[in-house]
Amino acid sequence: MSSEWTADRIVEQTIRIMSQGVTAMQRLTDAYFAKRTQEADVNWVTIQMAREYGAMSFYGDLARLAIRGGISGRDADEFTHIIKEEVDHYRSYQILLDLTIGKDTPIPDDDCFHYLNIRFTPDGVAFFPGSEEVVARKWPEHHRFISLWMDNYNNLPSWSSKLLMTQGEGGSCGWHWCLANAPQTDDFLKGTAKLEKVVVEDELQHGPDEIRRLAEAYDPANAIPMEAMFEIAREMRYLDIRERNEQFLYPLSEAELEEIRGLIYSDTLEPATIYDAVA
């Protein structure tokens, strides 16, 4: 019954799933650290740079939609802060890429900016024309994740949609956190850890803050059944592992991914401690 879902319980369960996702992500990053190649280093940084570029663009869309909806001046300023963070993160990954391949070397994949080339409109969220075909062909695991993310936004009742959106940036922060703890064995990993610590500091609070705000405004009339929503959240965490494995050029095997899937869906992973101080 909906009365059983207090704000505290919603926050606890949502954060638990995100934290279990971080535990799974640590397995992936450990595999990447153990098997990494320069090709994998360059690939993930290039993609992450493009992701940050896409994020700074679509937050502009969200700001315009919020203005259209009558956002207050103080709330509008929050979008300015977030967009500035995304610009800073984009530039940081660009600098790391330049240090890795040389400033005058062309970006390794000219298609990378299709990766998160999406737009929010009053009708929903979708890829810009021409981008989805590139993403589906070159990065099928990412396409699976972003398609689910967009489907949640476009088709679920508003409260459930918004809570699941926190699995985007909130969940991604776990990936940054794992990389922030990279072994300091060479200049690339030292630079990675330094950059990622800044990203974590910028973004760690975003997911838990939004989860708490939404939990306190829980509206069963604008929500799917809670257990169904949490199953989608688990699927998002699993698909995020798969897309990040693709980004790292597949350090985990399909069998290892299936093992992680079972642990996520059975709720048997020990949650990471990343959100303990802010949840």
Side-chain angles (χ1 to χ4, degrees):
M1 296 175 58
S2 61
S3 60
E4 298 173 352
W5 287 100
T6 64
D8 285 344
R9 188 180 172 202
I10 293 169
V11 171
E12 179 183 1
Q13 182 66 356
T14 307
I15 295 292
R16 176 179 175 82
I17 291 170
M18 287 205 311
S19 301
Q20 289 174 321
V22 179
T23 300
M25 193 66 73
Q26 189 68 66
R27 292 193 181 191
L28 171 58
T29 54
D30 286 348
Y32 156 67
F33 296 142
K35 302 176 183 179
R36 58 183 277 256
T37 63
Q38 186 176 36
E39 182 185 12
D41 292 348
V42 171
N43 190 73
W44 80 253
V45 175
T46 301
I47 287 175
Q48 195 59 36
M49 178 186 69
R51 286 178 73 121
E52 302 294 339
Y53 190 90
M56 70 186 193
S57 299
F58 74 62
Y59 272 115
D61 291 340
L62 292 172
R64 284 187 288 272
L65 290 173
I67 291 168
R68 177 175 176 167
I71 191 173
S72 72
R74 291 193 180 278
D75 288 340
D77 188 59
E78 180 63 22
F79 279 104
T80 303
H81 179 71
I82 292 172
I83 292 169
K84 181 183 181 302
E85 284 183 354
E86 301 299 344
V87 172
D88 290 345
H89 300 164
Y90 163 72
R91 288 288 297 127
S92 295
Y93 286 110
Q94 186 181 57
I95 291 168
L96 181 60
L97 182 63
D98 287 346
L99 291 172
T100 305
I101 65 174
K103 188 173 182 179
D104 296 326
T105 303
I107 291 175
D109 190 340
D110 286 337
D111 286 335
C112 68
F113 288 102
H114 289 286
Y115 196 84
L116 199 59
N117 192 30
I118 62 175
R119 59 182 174 184
F120 287 83
T121 72
D123 296 324
V125 59
F127 278 101
F128 277 91
S131 286
E132 183 168 11
E133 295 81 359
V134 175
V135 172
R137 173 172 51 85
K138 299 192 72 167
W139 302 290
E141 298 294 354
H142 171 61
H143 185 254
R144 286 177 66 188
F145 178 85
I146 200 68
S147 295
L148 175 59
W149 185 77
M150 292 192 296
D151 184 63
N152 292 338
Y153 182 89
N154 290 334
N155 297 313
L156 290 182
S158 61
W159 187 88
S160 299
S161 169
K162 290 174 182 176
L163 194 70
L164 285 168
M165 290 291 283
T166 66
Q167 293 288 328
E169 184 174 18
S172 291
C173 194
W175 181 81
H176 295 294
W177 185 75
C178 291
L179 286 176
N181 294 304
Q184 305 292 282
T185 53
D186 57 40
D187 288 343
F188 177 81
L189 289 182
K190 289 177 182 177
T192 294
K194 182 178 179 180
L195 184 166
E196 297 296 351
K197 283 180 170 66
V198 173
V199 177
V200 171
E201 183 177 341
D202 287 345
E203 296 188 352
L204 182 60
Q205 196 81 41
H206 293 177
D209 281 353
E210 182 68 2
I211 290 165
R212 169 59 65 181
R213 186 187 70 79
L214 288 166
E216 291 173 350
Y218 174 48
D219 179 9
N222 282 312
I224 61 174
M226 200 68 74
E227 289 300 338
M229 186 192 69
F230 286 131
E231 281 299 290
I232 296 173
R234 291 185 181 93
E235 183 177 6
M236 292 180 73
R237 297 279 48 82
Y238 172 60
L239 293 184
D240 191 30
I241 296 293
R242 294 192 68 96
E243 72 161 349
R244 295 297 190 174
N245 191 53
E246 180 179 71
Q247 188 174 353
F248 286 136
L249 297 183
Y250 312 102
L252 290 180
S253 68
E254 192 62 34
E256 290 169 318
L257 290 169
E258 280 300 309
E259 179 186 2
I260 288 172
R261 181 183 185 278
L263 293 170
I264 289 174
Y265 275 88
S266 63
D267 192 24
T268 53
L269 277 175
E270 184 68 24
T273 60
I274 172 175
Y275 302 108
D276 287 0
V278 296

